[in-house]
Amino acid sequence: MAKIHVSTTINGDEVEFLCETEQTMLDVLRDELQLTGSKEGCASGDCGACSITLDGRLVCACLMLGAEAQGHSIETIEGMAQGEQLHPLQQKFLDHAALQCGICTPGFLVAAKSLLEKNPDPTETEVRYWLAGNLCRCTGYDKIVRAVLDAAESMREAT
Ligand code: FES
Ligand code: FES
């Protein structure tokens, strides 16, 4: 079957790619565009490791077709740091040792960034609810939650 031509924006750059009709956005990112920061934990929308934003809305790339990116704007973990300058969330994840194997980390960071854009001053409960769709088998979550709250505080102080 003929591939589909897709024009989209990824991390601020205009991008074109060809994909199969059934190819997920996660597979397009990883296999066609070599943007391998988004991870595949489950491929069924359960783990959040593939989290990206689509026009600012948090979505699971494994539940989205590549063809659905046509005309939209996508942000992935690769767009989070500004050159060598880590995003405050990335820095706080390092400071709090909020990762171990790291498979879940890109998804947590993308999801947490999405939260802080909507709610710059979340409570711990709000952080835990927002990140309930992101699973981590290593850290026990407490360090992740503390890192997000700390990043939120430093981002508020910087504005
Ligand atoms: S790989 Fe997409 S939610 Fe798990
Ligand atoms: S750090 Fe290993 S799954 Fe979260």
Side-chain angles (χ1 to χ4, degrees), residues 26 39-51 60-63 133:
L26 180 59
K39 304 302 183 201
E40 181 176 289
C42 66
S44 57
D46 294 313
C47 77
C50 64
S51 297
C60 293
C62 71
L63 296 183

Side-chain angles (χ1 to χ4, degrees), residues 98-105 108 135-139 144:
L99 64 154
Q100 290 180 32
C101 79
I103 290 291
C104 70
T105 309
F108 269 102
L135 304 184
C136 177
R137 299 178 69 173
C138 305
T139 65
I144 292 173

